[in-house]
Amino acid sequence: MILTVCLSPCIDVNIEVDSLGVGKSNTIISKRIFFTGKAINVAIGIARLGADAFSTGFMYDGNGHQFEIELHREGVPYKFVWNEGRVRENYKFIDQRSMLTEVNDISAEITKEKQQELLKLISQISPSYEAVVISGGLAKGMSAEFYGDILKAIPNGVKKVVDTEGERLFCSLKYGLDLVKPNLDELERTLKRKIKSKTEIFDACKELIAMGAKRVLLSLGKKGAIITDGHFSYYSKSVNVAMNSTLGAGDAMVAAATYAMVKNCPLQDILKYGVAAGTASVTSPNSISFSKTKFNEILSALSVKEIS
C-alpha cells in the first residue's frame, strides 16, 4: 500500500473561449473542471494500476467535499485534516489562437495547530504503508521545512518519494529519499543554473544523489526520461501519441514509478513504468490520470537503453 500526502489541493478550471478581451464580455465555448493536487493525482494513478493507495493531507471546508466524491469514484480511501476556507481555484483561458491566459489562486492559511494535526496523523498511519509520496507546493503560512517534518514522522523501512523543487526538495533530501522526480525545468530552478548537455544532466542528478536521493527519475517531457542511482543510468524515449493534455502527466509518472519500486522492480523497469504512465496520461483530455489499458499498450512498446 502507498500513502500520498497532498499539502495544497486545487481546482483547475480550463475554459475555452472564442476570444478573450480584457474589459469586454466573453463567451465560454467549453469548460472542464478538475479536482486535483499532485499527491491526489498520484493516488488515483496508483489505484488505476490496480494497487492500493490512501490519500491524506489538507482539505478545506468551503468546497473540499467534491474531492471526496472524486476519490470515492476512483476507489481511493482518504482521511484529510480539514481547514477553514476554500480550496484554491486556478483558471486557464484558451482562445481560438491557442493563447493561454492563467489566473492562479492562493491557498487559505494553514495554522500551526493544523500542521501538527497532520504530522500526528502521518506518524500514526505511515508505518502500515510500503511507501509514502509527498508532492506539490505548500499552503499559505507554511515553510519548506514542513517537508522535512513529514519525513521525520515516517519510520525507517518505509520508502520515501518526493516530487517537488527548490527549498522544499533541499529540506527533504536531508532525511534520505528513495526516489525524486524533477523535470528538467524544475531541476534547473532548484540548482539555479541552465542544464544543456548530457554531462550536465548527469552532474545535476548526481548532486541530488550526493544530497540524499537513492534514485533520480528525470522527466524530459515528450523526449522521455532518464533514471540513475549514481552507478547505473538508463534512458527511455517516449512513444508518439496524440497529446491532448499535459495535466497530471508528472504525477502519473510518480504513481507508476513508485508502484514499480514498491514491487522491487529493477531500475530500468521503474523508468519504463514511469514513462508509460506519463505518456498514457497525455492522451486523455478529460482526466487527470490514465487508463490501465493505455498504460499497458505503451509499456509494451517502450525500450530502455543503458547510458553513461
Side-chain angles (χ1 to χ4, degrees):
M1 292 180 65
I2 300 169
L3 174 66
T4 74
V5 183
C6 183
L7 303 175
S8 185
C10 67
I11 299 173
D12 280 346
V13 185
N14 294 358
I15 298 173
E16 182 183 359
V17 293
D18 182 46
S19 62
L20 184 62
V22 177
K24 298 180 180 179
S25 177
N26 299 280
T27 301
I28 293 174
I29 297 173
S30 66
K31 180 169 69 172
R32 290 178 291 165
I33 301 175
F34 300 99
F35 299 90
T36 181
K38 292 181 68 63
I40 289 174
N41 300 346
V42 171
I44 291 171
I46 291 166
R48 291 195 176 186
L49 288 170
D52 293 324
F54 189 95
S55 183
T56 191
F58 296 121
M59 194 53 67
Y60 296 88
D61 299 327
N63 53 357
H65 67 281
Q66 188 64 46
F67 287 81
E68 296 181 296
I69 296 171
E70 294 295 320
L71 287 169
H72 180 73
R73 181 181 294 122
E74 295 286 350
V76 177
Y78 55 86
K79 184 174 183 180
F80 295 116
V81 171
W82 289 84
N83 300 269
E84 295 180 353
R86 295 175 61 83
V87 177
R88 61 194 173 100
E89 298 176 358
N90 297 331
Y91 291 85
K92 295 178 174 63
F93 298 90
I94 304 172
D95 66 19
Q96 62 181 354
R97 298 171 298 167
S98 297
M99 291 290 290
L100 174 64
T101 301
E102 298 187 59
V103 181
N104 293 326
D105 200 357
I106 58 173
S107 298
E109 187 169 356
I110 303 289
T111 65
K112 295 294 184 182
E113 290 75 19
K114 291 295 184 178
Q115 293 176 38
Q116 289 302 313
E117 185 178 338
L118 179 60
L119 292 174
K120 181 179 179 180
L121 174 61
I122 291 171
S123 68
Q124 290 172 342
I125 66 177
S126 60
S128 301
Y129 293 87
E130 297 168 278
V132 177
V133 178
I134 316 167
S135 58
L138 295 167
K140 185 179 178 181
M142 301 176 66
S143 72
E145 285 290 347
F146 194 72
Y147 260 78
D149 293 338
I150 293 174
L151 291 163
K152 285 189 289 186
I154 301 167
N156 294 331
V158 178
K159 291 180 170 61
K160 302 174 180 68
V161 179
V162 164
D163 181 15
T164 191
E165 62 178 288
E167 284 302 313
R168 298 187 298 271
L169 180 55
F170 289 139
C171 289
S172 301
L173 287 165
K174 293 187 294 186
Y175 300 96
L177 301 173
D178 292 274
L179 179 70
V180 296
K181 190 225 63 73
N183 60 40
L184 192 55
D185 289 340
E186 291 167 341
L187 189 58
E188 288 180 336
R189 289 195 295 268
T190 296
L191 298 179
K192 294 182 172 59
R193 66 175 187 264
K194 296 299 291 183
I195 300 170
K196 298 178 180 179
S197 69
K198 184 175 76 170
T199 299
E200 290 174 342
I201 286 174
F202 282 115
D203 287 345
C205 289
K206 287 176 182 177
E207 283 187 48
L208 298 187
I209 290 170
M211 292 179 198
K214 291 182 180 178
R215 305 169 186 86
V216 178
L217 175 60
L218 179 64
S219 171
L220 303 173
K222 62 182 180 181
K223 294 182 179 179
I226 65 170
I227 193 167
T228 183
D229 62 1
H231 302 287
F232 299 96
S233 303
Y234 299 93
Y235 168 74
S236 181
K237 182 180 179 180
S238 181
V239 299
N240 291 325
V241 296
M243 186 176 293
N244 293 306
S245 172
T246 59
L247 179 65
D251 307 323
M253 180 176 278
V254 172
T258 303
Y259 170 72
M261 189 176 65
V262 165
K263 294 202 307 175
N264 294 316
C265 290
L267 201 62
Q268 53 267 48
D269 285 350
I270 296 173
L271 172 63
K272 282 182 67 175
Y273 272 60
V275 172
T279 305
S281 72
V282 305
T283 65
S284 176
N286 298 311
S287 174
I288 57 173
S289 196
F290 56 91
S291 73
K292 190 174 183 181
T293 299
K294 193 66 176 178
F295 166 82
N296 286 332
E297 174 191 325
I298 294 171
L299 183 67
S300 65
L302 290 176
S303 61
V304 172
K305 67 176 182 179
E306 187 172 0
I307 50 179
S308 58

